[in-house]
Amino acid sequence: MADEKPSLSYLLLLFFSLHAFFIHSAYSQSFIGVNYGQVADNLPPPSTTVTLLKSTTIAKVRLYGADPAILRALSGTGIGVVIGASNGEIPSLSADPAAASQWIASNVLPFYPATQIILISVGNEVFSSGDPNLPSQLLPAMQNLHSALQAASIADKIKVSTVHSMAVLGQSDPPSSGAFQASLTDTMKPLLGFLQSTGSPFTINPYPYFAYRSDTRPETLAFCLFQPNQGRFDAGSRITYMNMFDAQVDAVRSALNAAGSKDTEIVIAETGWPYNGDADEVGATVENAKAYNGGLISHLRSMVGTPLMPGKSVDTYIFALYDEDLKPGPTSERSFGLFRPDGTVTYDVGLAKSGQTAAPAVGPPSSPSATKGPAGYCVPRPGVSDAQLQGNLDYACGQGIDCTPIQPGGACYLPNTVASHAAYAMNLFYQKSEKKPLDCDFSKTAALIPGNPSYNNCIYPGS
């Protein structure tokens, strides 16, 4: 009967279904995405690429267009997809609502919902494109596409936004002073109003690599690469930032807040680090690319968020899935790929699913090695701040050690504190290293002790 109360068995089934859903969500790492560009002549077919994606923890893909072969290949995978309308399409989409309706009819409706399209990006870095007409045409194009989605009754499922470069900020350092360029006020204000009214994200491309290119001091490199460093104090917010990614994202958060868009979500449409470059492209090395992307992924997995947006990882699309060998410009432009066309990794940042299921190291300590440095366990010194420990945690887990045990559901996840997770990761990093004094230094925040600390109710790997 319609007014019959749910049975106990039904409620139990519902409870366990929801429990399974949230457990699955914890492991899906839905905040990690990748950019899939196609300016190349050596890429594998879309079906091969989708097989590669399914072998990783990558949960979202950003396309720069709406290639039908790729969209068909992604059907049924559950991978979230961002599709793009190019800068060249903006004038027609802006001028003619029928053109926008046709764009949706051609690029969305034949594939959705089997292919999980979640966002349409209208243009790319329009405000720094050099075309003086595009900025005024951008919002009407977005509005027309949104109206076409409404007509198809899917505007609540697929959002419309546009991707910005960090150049839209007139001020970003320190993060608390973040503000949009004054010259963009007339254009940016209604655009932000559209995003807020439609529940669409503000998407932006922060690149700590370019920040380092303009300031090549060693301490800046460590700050950009999620490596142990002294941090940078923001007097406006009284926050010490331990990495450039957080600082850049929070500068965007401050700018949005100052513009009255406190509820607008931020999505990182691109970020990455090149592994190769010309002689004058300082910092473009495999070691630095692995450190940045590995540290970034570890930071996102920690779910610590940023100081202004704690407790939730910002959706982040890493640039890029593959190198694009036909791109013009310096060597670095063709050297961002995480994978080679044959599916092998350019360098390993722990994205393979098999790396997420490795058995936790909870066995008895091994005996000291006669060929290595001092025996013992590397632990944080007393009084070290959570911000510094989070930086140490991101760095250690970004170096390829198995941090599965301190992720949700892992044997050493509880207690869920920065201190206990950092202690586990710092010690494991030391045990897997050559055990030189610097391997348990972490900018003077760690020390060796003789006894097993057994944090997290785990037996730590020992010397």
Side-chain angles (χ1 to χ4, degrees), residues 41-68:
D41 60 5
N42 61 351
L43 300 184
S47 58
T48 301
T49 294
V50 170
T51 299
L52 170 63
L53 289 170
K54 289 166 67 176
S55 73
T56 73
T57 55
I58 295 169
K60 295 179 179 177
V61 171
R62 179 188 170 212
L63 309 178
Y64 290 85
D67 187 297

Side-chain angles (χ1 to χ4, degrees), residues 130-409:
D131 186 328
N133 297 315
L134 284 185
S136 63
Q137 296 170 330
L138 177 59
L139 180 56
M142 295 168 64
Q143 291 170 327
N144 286 341
L145 285 171
H146 176 70
S147 296
L149 291 171
Q150 284 182 314
S153 301
I154 52 176
D156 59 330
K157 305 295 184 183
I158 302 175
K159 302 302 180 180
V160 178
S161 188
T162 185
V163 175
H164 304 280
S165 75
M166 288 292 288
V168 297
L169 298 187
Q171 180 71 31
S172 63
D173 186 24
S176 62
S177 69
F180 293 110
Q181 288 191 36
S183 61
L184 298 179
T185 300
D186 291 343
T187 308
M188 188 65 72
K189 185 175 180 179
L191 191 151
L192 294 178
F194 169 83
L195 297 181
Q196 191 154 341
S197 67
T198 60
S200 300
F202 183 88
T203 52
I204 194 158
N205 298 339
Y207 276 91
Y209 168 67
F210 295 118
Y212 171 65
R213 287 281 303 274
S214 64
D215 177 6
T216 58
R217 293 174 298 165
E219 56 266 35
T220 300
L221 183 61
F223 188 66
C224 288
L225 296 182
F226 296 91
Q227 293 175 340
N229 65 91
Q230 297 302 314
R232 295 186 178 181
F233 182 67
D234 182 341
S237 62
R238 311 299 296 174
I239 291 170
T240 298
Y241 283 86
M242 301 308 301
N243 64 80
M244 180 67 79
F245 178 81
D246 279 357
Q248 290 186 331
V249 174
D250 273 1
V252 176
R253 180 76 271 161
S254 294
L256 287 170
N257 292 352
S261 295
K262 294 183 178 181
D263 297 328
T264 300
E265 178 187 1
I266 295 171
V267 166
I268 306 306
E270 286 183 23
T271 189
W273 197 286
Y275 65 84
N276 190 22
D278 297 329
D280 61 341
E281 294 187 284
V282 61
T285 67
V286 170
E287 293 77 16
N288 288 348
K290 180 177 180 179
Y292 178 73
N293 285 319
L296 172 63
I297 291 167
S298 172
H299 187 56
L300 294 172
R301 285 174 175 163
S302 74
M303 297 293 287
V304 69
T306 71
L308 295 186
M309 296 180 291
K312 178 183 181 296
S313 290
V314 173
D315 282 7
T316 300
Y317 294 79
I318 298 172
F319 189 85
L321 183 61
Y322 299 118
D323 288 343
E324 296 177 80
D325 66 338
L326 298 182
K327 271 194 165 184
T331 299
S332 62
E333 286 293 313
R334 297 176 293 280
S335 305
F336 278 87
L338 297 172
F339 295 90
R340 302 183 183 94
D342 64 2
T344 59
V345 296
T346 308
Y347 50 88
D348 187 9
V349 290
L351 285 171
K353 279 184 179 175
S354 59
Q356 301 304 302
T357 56
V362 295
S366 58
S367 55
S369 168
T371 60
K372 292 191 174 183
Y377 300 84
C378 184
V379 299
R381 293 181 182 273
V384 178
S385 70
D386 277 0
Q388 178 71 66
L389 291 176
Q390 183 64 50
N392 295 349
L393 170 62
D394 295 338
Y395 170 72
C397 291
Q399 300 307 301
I401 62 172
D402 179 18
C403 288
T404 305
I406 54 175
Q407 292 174 9

Side-chain angles (χ1 to χ4, degrees), residues 70-138:
I70 297 176
L71 292 175
R72 283 193 293 268
L74 288 165
S75 175
T77 62
I79 294 173
V81 183
V82 178
I83 60 175
S86 69
N87 286 5
E89 293 175 290
I90 289 176
S92 63
L93 293 173
S94 171
D96 186 2
S101 296
Q102 182 56 52
W103 197 96
I104 296 298
S106 299
N107 298 303
V108 175
L109 299 184
F111 311 104
Y112 183 84
T115 299
Q116 193 176 326
I117 299 170
I118 56 176
L119 180 68
I120 299 171
S121 171
V122 184
N124 189 53
E125 300 188 350
V126 165
F127 292 107
S128 53
S129 67
D131 186 328
N133 297 315
L134 284 185
S136 63
Q137 296 170 330
L138 177 59

